[in-house]
């Protein structure tokens, strides 16, 4: 197998492996390191204009990296490909560019405040009154309102699911040559109790299967 085929196979394993259970950041970096060595990344597909574009095309943000492991990875990338931009590495790992700046420099990067933050700080320093504090009674009302809203949303959702089930049950028991369907798939959320406020099911009934 020639170098081009090997490079493309390694790139394929790297970009698809993150979706496979048990695939680790260590394994991903082994594939990445093999592509960075001897400029093998230039052999992938139609090629990349520069190494930063190649690095940015890889998404490892779903794989958690400890700080020490991330710093070691960044140092290795810089050693193999010094022209790699910090921003492209940050994009690959799904972290703030300032985090990579700190890793490369070995010291915290100085955060730059934007004009809005600067003006806000100046107003506070000039004695601009801070927002009023919320009392215990007001906080209780906010919590109660949110709880009621969640309960109402859940009741509406249950009603929508019942009506959807009735429509499905009413479909004729027959054979069809072609069925064209666009199911209202149910997107999973972290919590069915609290994560449904912006869910599609608040707009239309969805289907879990």
């Amino acid at each position: 197998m020639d170098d081009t085929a090997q490079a493309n196979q390694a790139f394929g394993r790297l970009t698809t492996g993150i979706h496979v259970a048990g695939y680790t950041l260590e394994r991903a970096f082994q594939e990445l390191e093999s592509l960075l060595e001897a400029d093998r990344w230039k052999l992938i597909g139609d090629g990349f204009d520069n190494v930063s574009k190649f690095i940015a095309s890889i998404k490892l943000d779903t794989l958690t990296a400890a700080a020490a492991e991330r710093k070691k990875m960044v140092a290795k990338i810089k050693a193999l490909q010094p022209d790699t931009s910090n921003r492209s590495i940050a994009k690959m790992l799904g972290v703030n560019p300032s985090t990579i700046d700190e890793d490369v420099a070995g010291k915290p990067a100085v955060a730059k405040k934007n004009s809005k933050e600067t003006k806000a700080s100046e107003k506070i320093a000039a004695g601009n009154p801070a927002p009023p504090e919320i009392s215990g009674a007001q906080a209780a009302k906010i919590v109660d309102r949110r709880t009621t809203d969640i309960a109402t949303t859940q009741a509406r959702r249950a009603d929508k699911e019942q009506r959807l089930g009735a429509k499905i049950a009413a479909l004729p028991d027959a054979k069809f040559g072609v069925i064209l369907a666009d199911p209202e798939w149910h997107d999973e959320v972290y919590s069915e109790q609290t994560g449904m406020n912006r869910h599609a099911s608040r707009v239309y009934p969805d289907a879990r299967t």
Side-chain angles (χ1 to χ4, degrees):
M1 185 182 298
D2 60 21
D3 289 345
T4 300
Q6 290 180 351
N8 279 278
Q9 283 193 6
F11 185 66
R13 290 192 298 269
L14 177 60
T15 54
T16 60
I18 58 174
H19 303 293
V20 178
Y23 192 76
T24 63
L25 186 64
E26 182 180 2
R27 289 177 60 189
F29 188 60
Q30 287 175 353
E31 299 286 3
L32 177 61
E33 188 174 353
S34 71
L35 292 170
L36 293 176
E37 291 176 344
D39 291 338
R40 293 189 183 93
W41 57 272
K42 293 181 179 180
L43 303 176
I44 297 170
D46 296 329
F48 290 88
D49 294 341
N50 56 65
V51 67
S52 292
K53 288 185 178 180
F54 163 68
I55 290 292
S57 71
I58 301 167
K59 304 300 180 186
L60 300 182
D61 52 331
T62 58
L63 303 177
T64 303
E69 188 177 20
R70 185 193 65 243
K71 290 179 180 179
K72 182 179 179 181
M73 181 183 298
V74 172
K76 188 65 175 180
I77 291 174
K78 286 291 188 177
L80 291 171
Q81 297 289 337
D83 293 334
T84 307
S85 70
N86 294 355
R87 184 172 294 275
S88 65
I89 298 175
K91 186 175 182 181
M92 176 183 70
L93 296 176
V95 299
N96 194 292
S98 63
T99 301
I100 304 302
D101 291 340
E102 293 175 12
D103 292 345
V104 173
K107 59 182 180 179
V110 178
K112 295 182 179 179
K113 293 184 178 180
N114 59 38
S115 58
K116 290 184 178 180
E117 291 176 339
T118 303
K119 290 179 180 179
S121 299
E122 290 174 351
K123 285 184 178 181
I124 294 175
N128 192 49
E133 294 184 0
I134 299 176
S135 66
Q138 290 174 320
K141 286 182 180 180
I142 292 174
V143 172
D144 182 64
R145 185 163 58 248
R146 289 179 178 175
T147 302
T148 301
D149 181 64
I150 292 173
T152 302
T153 301
Q154 291 175 341
R156 289 175 180 172
R157 185 165 63 252
D159 180 62
K160 287 180 181 180
E161 290 177 350
Q162 288 182 355
R163 286 187 276 114
L164 178 62
K167 290 180 180 179
I168 294 175
L171 291 173
D173 185 11
K175 293 183 178 181
F176 301 91
V178 176
I179 297 178
L180 177 63
D182 182 17
E184 306 89 346
W185 296 121
H186 176 84
D187 295 326
E188 296 295 333
V189 295
Y190 181 76
S191 171
E192 292 282 344
Q193 302 299 319
T194 61
M196 305 296 290
N197 287 340
R198 297 184 181 180
H199 199 270
S201 59
R202 295 197 66 173
V203 182
Y204 55 81
D206 60 4
R208 293 176 181 270
T209 55

